[in-house]
Amino acid sequence: MNKTPPAGGRPPVDESEEVPHYDDAMVGRVFRWSAVGCCVLAVLAVGVYAVRQRKSAPVPAKLTALTAPVPAPAVPVEIPVARFADITAASGVSFRHQNGAYGEKLLPETMGGGVAFLDYDGDGYQDLLLINSAYWPGHLPAGAKPALPALYHNDGKGHFTDVTAGSGLDVSLYGMGVAVGDFDNDGRPDVFIAGVGGNHLFHNEGGGKFRDITASAGVGGSGSDWSTSSAWIDYDNDGKLDLFVCNYVKWSRAIDIEVGYKLVGVGRAYGQPANFEGAFCSLYHNEGNGVFKDVSAESGIQVKNPATGVPAGKSLGVAPVDLDGDGLIDLVVANDTVQNFVFHNEGHGHFKEIGAISGIAFDNYGRARGAMGIDAARYRNDDALGIAIGNFATEMTALYVSQGSPLLYADEAIPEGIGPAGRLLLKFGVFFFDYDLDGRLDVLTANGHLEEEIGKIQQGQQYRQPAQLFWNAGERSGGCFVAVPTEKCGPDLGQPMVGRGSAYADIDGDGDADVIITQVGGAPLLLRNEQTLGHHWLRLKLVGTRSNRDAIGASVKARVNGRTLWRQVMPTRGYLSQSELPITIGLGSATRAEDIEVTWPGGGKQKVAEARLDATTVVTEVAN
C-alpha cells in the first residue's frame, strides 16, 4: 500500500509493523560468540585449501575450439534486364517545381511536391498532374510569373501536352500533395490539392475544366495548416468517398525564424521537425451534394501527446488498407520523428489508434524514425501483408510484415534485403509495383536530402541522390528483395536528384508500369519502362455501383500457376502522390489466371469470368 510521506520526505511509521526490542546485554553476548565462531571457520577454511593445493596437481586448462556459424550460401538469382529510359523532355513535360526559396531557409521549401496519374477526360489514357509550390509573399522575382500546378494530357503513346491554362487548376498556391477521386460518382475524377496555408478541392466539370469548390465543400482546413499527403477512402462503406488529410507540424514563418536552426560551418539551416509542435490529421465525411463534414475529433484520429496534451502526429504519408479483412478500410500513417499511427476502423465512424501494440509505431529498438512515404501490399503472394515506409538518412527503410495475426507486425527489412542497401539514403517516395510483370511486387524508393550543404558536414552524404529499385526474387535464400544494379535497369533511373513524390502508370499502353519522380526546385524525371521480357499481363478497371464508382478500397485475388496474387485498388501510394487507378497483374510466362475474385468495399465478392490477356478488362460491380 502506498503511503504519502510527510514534509520531511521520510515515510510515516506504521506502529503495527515495528520490530520488537531486545535486551542490550543479550545482544552483546550473541555478537561476541558470533565473532569467535567466524574466526574459527576462517582458520579451518585456510587449512583445507592448503592441504588440497599440496595433494592435487594443477590440471592444465583445456580450450574448446569454437567454430563460427557459417551462413547458408544464398541461392544465386538472375535479375532480369528491364531498362528505364528518361523521356521527360521528349514526352513534352517541361514542368519545373518552384519552392520559393530566397535565403531564409523555411522548412516547407524542402518538402514538396506531389504528382498524380489520372484519366481526367475518360479516354482511357493516364494523364499527368504535377503539384507546384509557390514564391513566398513579397518575393516574386521581377518579370517572373506565379508558379502553378501543371496538367498534361496524354495522347495514349506517352506524349504529353500542357493543358493547364484555362483548366481551372491554374491557381497559385503553396502546394504539397494531391489526391484524386470521384467523390460524387459522376464518372469524372476530382482533384484535392493539399498545401501550406490552405487546401483546395476542384470538381471535374468535364471537357477538361475544373471548378474550385473548396469553400462550399468545407475541406479547406483552418487556413494555417500545413497539409501533406491525403487519400480518398470510403471508411463507412456508404458508397461515397470521404477524405483523409495528413497534417505535418504547426508552422509559420515567425515560428520557423524563432526556431533559428543552424548547422556548424553552414549557418542558418532548415529546422528539424523535432523543433516544431505536431498537428492533428483531418477526416472529412462525404455528406453528399458536394458537402463534407469535419469528423476528425469524434472519429478518434486526433492523437495527443499524453505528457503535454499537444497533437502527437507529424504526418507525411498514409496507406489506406483493410488490415484485418473485416471490410473496413484502416489507415497506417507515417510520422516524422514521432511514432507512426495505425488507425483501426472499428465501424460506426470510429477509429482506434493501435500503432504501438501492432508493432508499427517504432523500430525494433522502440525508437521513432523520420518516416516519409508509405505503401502496403502482399508482396510475398501469400496472406502476409507488408507495409514499407521510407525513412530518414542513416535509417533503414522499414518493412513491417504481419506475423500470423493481421494486427501484429515485425520489421523484417533486414532479412528481406531491403533495409541495409538503402540505409544511407533519405527515402521519400516508396511504392510496390511489378515492373517486370513476373507476378511479384517489386519496390522503388525516391531519394534526396533536405540540406543543400549536407556534404560539407556529413562525409558521404549528398543532397542529390539516386532512386533505388529492388527486384522481388520470391522464395529464395537471403530475403525477397535484391537491389537492382545499373546494368540491369539502365543509368537513367539512377540519376542523382532531390527526389520527393513518385508514382507509376502505364502511359503508353504496353502493359508495364512507367514511373515519374518529382524533385524540389527542379524538373521531374519521367521514366519509360522498356522491358522486353515477353511476360503477359491482365489489366482490370473496376467500376463500383453499390460501392464508390472508382472502387477505391476494393481488392483482387488472382490464382496464377498455383500462386495467389493480391492487388488493391488504391491510388494513394508513396509520398504526396497518386498512381494509376486500374490494377495490373503480371502473369510471367502464364497465359491465363485460373481464378480471379474481386472483393468490393464492404465485403461483397464477385468472380471475374474472363479477363482479356495483355489488355484491359472493365469489371462492373454486380449488386447482390
Side-chain angles (χ1 to χ4, degrees):
M1 178 177 179
N2 294 325
K3 298 181 175 64
T4 304
R10 297 179 62 176
V13 176
D14 188 337
E15 297 296 335
S16 65
E17 296 178 357
E18 284 187 355
V19 295
H21 298 280
Y22 293 96
D23 181 77
D24 291 340
M26 182 182 294
V27 172
R29 288 194 296 271
V30 170
F31 178 80
R32 286 192 295 272
W33 282 111
S34 298
V36 171
C38 289
C39 292
V40 171
L41 290 174
V43 171
L44 289 174
V46 171
V48 170
Y49 177 80
V51 171
R52 293 188 63 181
Q53 288 296 99
R54 285 198 305 269
K55 292 183 177 179
S56 302
V59 179
K62 290 185 178 180
L63 298 179
T64 303
L66 297 177
T67 304
V70 179
V75 177
V77 295
E78 183 61 34
I79 299 174
V81 175
R83 299 185 184 278
F84 287 85
D86 179 359
I87 62 166
T88 312
S91 71
V93 174
S94 57
F95 173 85
R96 291 188 67 86
H97 179 262
Q98 174 56 250
N99 66 350
Y102 60 92
E104 281 198 330
K105 294 209 170 184
L106 304 176
L107 188 55
E109 296 165 4
T110 69
M111 304 299 287
V115 60
F117 282 114
L118 73 164
D119 182 9
Y120 75 86
D121 57 353
D123 63 0
Y125 306 135
Q126 295 299 309
D127 308 306
L128 187 59
L129 175 61
L130 288 147
I131 304 304
N132 214 341
S133 297
Y135 294 101
W136 294 110
H139 293 276
L140 180 68
K145 297 180 179 179
L148 302 174
L151 179 65
Y152 288 92
H153 180 262
N154 185 0
D155 67 357
K157 300 177 182 178
H159 187 272
F160 294 87
T161 302
D162 190 335
V163 294
T164 311
S167 67
L169 295 174
D170 46 349
V171 176
S172 181
L173 64 151
Y174 207 98
M176 284 282 153
V178 58
V180 177
D182 182 4
F183 73 81
D184 57 355
N185 294 323
D186 65 356
R188 298 186 296 267
D190 309 297
V191 173
F192 177 81
I193 299 179
V196 178
N199 306 320
H200 293 260
L201 177 59
F202 298 92
H203 181 259
N204 191 335
E205 304 281 292
K209 304 295 182 182
F210 291 81
R211 179 167 57 94
D212 191 336
I213 62 167
T214 308
S216 61
V219 294
S222 69
S224 60
D225 300 322
W226 177 353
S227 300
T228 52
S229 294
S230 50
W232 291 103
I233 57 170
D234 184 5
Y235 71 85
D236 57 354
N237 292 328
D238 65 354
K240 302 186 293 290
L241 288 175
D242 312 300
L243 182 63
F244 180 85
V245 182
C246 292
N247 291 314
Y248 188 33
V249 295
K250 182 179 179 180
W251 183 89
S252 68
R253 177 183 173 276
I255 293 173
D256 206 325
I257 296 300
E258 184 178 353
V259 166
Y261 188 70
K262 295 182 180 180
L263 289 173
V264 177
V266 174
R268 169 78 178 167
Y270 291 111
Q272 298 178 349
N275 297 327
F276 295 84
E277 185 178 306
F280 290 133
C281 296
S282 299
L283 181 63
Y284 298 95
H285 181 260
N286 188 340
E287 303 282 292
N289 299 318
V291 176
F292 292 78
K293 178 183 178 183
D294 187 341
V295 295
S296 308
E298 58 262 42
S299 67
I301 66 159
Q302 292 188 341
V303 182
K304 294 182 180 179
N305 184 315
T308 63
V310 302
K314 299 180 180 182
S315 305
L316 289 175
V318 57
V321 60
D322 182 359
L323 295 171
D324 51 357
D326 62 357
L328 299 169
I329 283 288
D330 309 297
L331 299 162
V332 186
V333 177
N335 282 319
D336 191 3
T337 70
V338 296
Q339 69 183 72
N340 300 317
F341 295 148
V342 177
F343 294 119
H344 180 241
N345 191 337
E346 297 186 317
H348 308 291
H350 189 267
F351 293 82
K352 181 180 181 181
E353 204 290 301
I354 60 168
I357 62 175
S358 71
I360 296 175
F362 305 102
D363 69 7
N364 288 337
Y365 300 96
R367 298 173 301 201
R369 291 183 279 200
M372 312 294 178
I374 183 172
D375 196 11
R378 288 183 169 85
Y379 67 91
R380 291 176 176 168
N381 292 336
D382 59 17
D383 290 335
L385 181 69
I387 299 170
I389 301 179
N391 290 314
F392 201 78
T394 72
E395 297 174 341
M396 289 185 289
T397 297
L399 183 56
Y400 298 101
V401 182
S402 58
Q403 304 295 302
S405 167
L407 297 180
L408 183 62
Y409 289 78
D411 189 350
E412 298 190 15
I414 293 178
E416 289 290 52
I418 199 172
R423 185 181 67 86
L424 293 180
L425 300 171
L426 202 167
K427 288 76 64 181
F428 274 90
V430 56
F431 58 67
F432 292 97
F433 74 137
D434 182 7
Y435 76 89
D436 60 342
L437 298 174
D438 66 352
R440 297 189 296 267
L441 290 171
D442 314 297
V443 172
L444 184 138
T445 67
N447 313 308
H449 216 282
L450 301 179
E451 179 57 58
E452 292 181 80
E453 309 294 337
I454 190 64
K456 295 181 179 179
I457 58 173
Q458 289 186 15
Q459 187 176 6
Q461 276 294 348
Q462 304 291 331
Y463 180 52
R464 292 175 173 80
Q465 301 177 354
Q468 199 166 30
L469 181 64
F470 293 89
W471 181 63
N472 188 337
E475 302 81 10
R476 292 169 169 83
S477 175
C480 272
F481 294 105
V482 182
V484 181
T486 299
E487 60 268 22
K488 296 291 186 177
C489 63
D492 291 349
L493 179 64
Q495 295 181 48
M497 61 186 301
V498 195
R500 292 296 183 263
S502 59
Y504 65 84
D506 178 10
I507 63 173
D508 49 9
D510 62 357
D512 53 34
D514 309 294
V515 170
I516 189 166
I517 302 173
T518 70
Q519 69 172 328
V520 171
L525 179 62
L526 181 61
L527 298 158
R528 183 174 60 214
N529 188 336
E530 298 188 336
Q531 63 86 21
T532 56
L533 298 169
H535 290 163
H536 296 291
W537 47 276
L538 306 173
R539 185 175 173 87
L540 303 179
K541 180 183 179 182
L542 274 56
V543 180
T545 53
R546 178 182 174 275
S547 307
N548 68 87
R549 186 181 177 97
D550 283 341
I552 287 177
S555 63
V556 177
K557 283 186 178 181
R559 293 284 295 172
V560 179
N561 282 345
R563 296 183 298 165
T564 300
L565 281 58
W566 181 93
R567 302 290 183 268
Q568 182 185 25
V569 180
M570 183 53 64
T572 301
R573 299 181 184 276
Y575 174 71
L576 306 179
S577 300
Q578 304 270 286
S579 292
E580 64 179 355
L581 194 61
I583 63 168
T584 298
I585 300 173
L587 301 179
S589 59
T591 56
R592 59 182 292 270
E594 295 98 59
D595 181 74
I596 302 175
E597 183 178 70
V598 177
T599 300
W600 299 94
K605 298 183 183 299
Q606 180 177 336
K607 296 286 186 180
V608 178
E610 186 176 352
R612 299 169 60 199
L613 184 67
D614 299 336
T616 299
T617 300
V618 177
V619 180
T620 302
E621 182 180 16
V622 176
N624 295 326

